[in-house]
Amino acid sequence: MTQSNILMNTENLDASDPYVREAQTFPTLKDDQIGRLKKYGTVETFKKNDFLFQRGDRTVDFFVVISGNIEIFEYTNDGHKVFTIHRESQFTGEMDLLNDRKILVGGRMGEDGEVLRINRESFRRMLVGESDLSELIIRAFILRRVGLISHKQGGVTLIAHHENSDSVRIQRFLKSNGYPIDVIYCDDEGCDEILEKYQLDTSDLPSVIIHLGDNILKKPTNFQLAEALGLTEDPNLAEPYDVMIVGGGPTGLSAAVYAASEGLRTVLIEKEAPGGQAGTSSKIENYLGFPTGLSGQALAGRAQVQAMKFGAKIILPHQVNEIQKLEDEKLFSLELCNGTSIRTKSVIVTTGATYRRLNVKENTKFDNAGIYYAATAMEADICRGKEVIIVGGGNSAGQAAVFLAGAAKHVHMLVRRGELASSMSDYLIGRIESSPRITLHYHTEITELHGDEHLEKVTIKNRESCEENTMDVRHVFLMIGAVPNTEWLKECISLNDYGFALTGADAANDKGWPLERPPMMMETNVPGIFAAGDVRAGSIKRVASGVGEGSITVTQVHQYLAEIA
């Protein structure tokens, strides 16, 4: 590296590391580009060691170095550690400049100098008005966040037990939200010293150490963790939103991108992390425009960036408890799980569906302790070198089998039917049938789970021969069927017998329709409430169709808003 931006041994970095891609991750702006940026901000003078921002700040400004340099540092067990230096004509910032969450790192002047400061409002105007600069900056922001995650910088330390359900839950929550995390297990070298330093006992685990005031969270819930780390954002309660999207899967993210880019005041509520069911997929190879495939989490991450770039507000981890129609104001009021009520002119329900649980005793006992509903890199590490079972015969199960076969000792697929062709893409079937590390068990299901705190054995049964077999398998992945996430909507909109939201003509026929015009294709039996994606009755359960329904629904929201204006 010709420029010492990253203060580390670059000989150990591989080509996929963002820190090696210096020209993209830490670009140097040209004079004319800086000249255009000056229209949006002001030049200020600072002294060496002056702080420009610190970890935990919100709505931090964007800085361009005119002279001198800016040191970027993280907070560690041993104090501040500088790991990046932005030099003349380079700029600060990463993904959190696109939202109002607490930032991960600090920045201070490394020497006396001048910087161009652009505040948040002007920064957003610049992203819209300067498309080439916007592309350059956002690419750098994405790569910098990937670098923070891969090098475990600016994040938290998780002290955990191996194969502990809460440890798995915390890791999944942070990783799916793109938050850097360093995991230390209680039998790792150096763990005893950390436990002693923070006065922790093994009974306190899992514990999360936030390296800012040595804040420690013992066995936190996802919401407690999000609150402490500043992942939560407060909605604007002063004015109603034009549209509120409930659910952050591909459909909801698509709706957020199109709504915000078309000038609608947009807020999206997600209960855990953007991506939904698709976000748990290790690799999607049949999505248009990505011939080599991409992970569900990568697709969700890119869509989230797009939505935030256009000004959509994404609030997590929150659930919506109920929707009320405020007749006098032509508004809806949605109550969140923490009691906050948000007013909006229209609602798009994109809460999707979840995989079914096993029909056996204690079917929730081993969740995250041997039973998983996702197959990402994290789960692959957990079951590396061990035998696993995947239950299901659809595309999600097939993608998981192919992916896990690269890490697990062997993959057993349990399929209730006698074939795969009716529910799985042909390219996946070919890979599964040709893999020596995948065995298909047709007409087979799990009848019993065995274990104490963690799954230890599984009993399976062939439904045709009635033969039973108990296998020493500690990791099972469930990808069977779909249960719509509509329990909270039962008293609000019409649902079919399976719980999926009725829209269009089906909605009008179910409970009547209060307007002279018929309901639009994505509109429920309540004018102004729409449903799209997997949650909608009759939808095609594919990522591409969900993305399409999200964009179509926004068009119909425009029509509805014009009616009530």
Side-chain angles (χ1 to χ4, degrees), residues 467-537:
E467 180 183 352
E468 285 193 335
N469 179 31
T470 297
M471 304 173 65
D472 291 326
V473 173
R474 295 171 57 84
H475 304 283
V476 173
F477 294 81
L478 300 184
M479 294 172 180
I480 46 177
V483 179
N485 297 315
T486 54
E487 188 70 25
W488 60 286
L489 286 168
K490 282 184 176 180
E491 305 303 320
C492 180
I493 63 173
S494 295
L495 308 175
N496 70 6
D497 293 340
Y498 300 99
F500 291 92
L502 295 172
T503 60
D506 292 334
N509 294 336
D510 183 65
K511 288 186 178 180
W513 178 250
L515 303 181
E516 292 184 4
R517 68 160 176 84
M520 290 176 270
M521 181 173 64
M522 302 294 180
E523 199 168 20
T524 68
N525 65 299
V526 179
I529 299 181
F530 301 81
D534 288 1
V535 76
R536 187 178 70 86

Side-chain angles (χ1 to χ4, degrees), residues 372 379-380 382-391 400-401 404-405 407-414 437 439 441 471-477:
Y372 314 100
E379 286 81 17
I382 292 173
C383 66
R384 189 170 300 278
K386 303 169 186 175
E387 292 197 23
V388 305
I389 287 175
I390 295 175
V391 182
L404 291 173
K409 179 180 179 181
H410 198 84
V411 176
H412 299 272
M413 284 194 72
L414 310 189
R437 301 180 72 173
T439 299
H441 302 263
M471 304 173 65
D472 291 326
V473 173
R474 295 171 57 84
H475 304 283
V476 173
F477 294 81

